[in-house]
Amino acid sequence: EGLAIRSATKVTEEILKGATNLKIIGRAGIGTDNIDKLAATLGLEVKYDISDSINKQYQSKGDNTENILDFFG
């Protein structure tokens, strides 16, 4: 299972411990400071897509969703 998030979403230790089937977290934007560092100790893959931040004025919401979904497949 995967979790797709934006900058306002906080992925806490409580969420991570409850998501026993979680394999990957994908974040639209730059950085991973809103993801609890427990993810690294659980062996989860954490990725982010900077194209949302760099090309925001040129991308539609559908393009951004497609970029996030590329993380999972």
Side-chain angles (χ1 to χ4, degrees):
E1 295 179 6
L3 179 63
I5 63 171
R6 298 279 308 181
S7 59
T9 306
K10 304 294 183 205
V11 181
T12 64
E13 181 177 349
E14 182 179 5
I15 290 170
L16 292 172
K17 285 184 175 180
T20 56
N21 293 326
L22 189 63
K23 302 291 183 227
I24 186 170
I25 301 170
R27 182 203 187 292
I30 297 173
T32 58
D33 56 322
N34 55 330
I35 300 170
D36 190 280
K37 300 312 175 222
L38 177 66
T41 65
L42 294 175
L44 296 174
E45 188 171 356
V46 178
K47 294 187 174 188
Y48 60 93
D49 176 16
I50 64 170
S51 66
D52 179 60
S53 297
I54 295 172
N55 299 316
K56 192 170 191 171
Q57 66 273 27
Y58 302 110
Q59 289 186 320
S60 70
K61 288 184 179 181
D63 290 339
N64 189 35
T65 301
E66 184 177 328
N67 288 339
I68 292 172
L69 292 175
D70 283 344
F71 284 135
F72 303 109

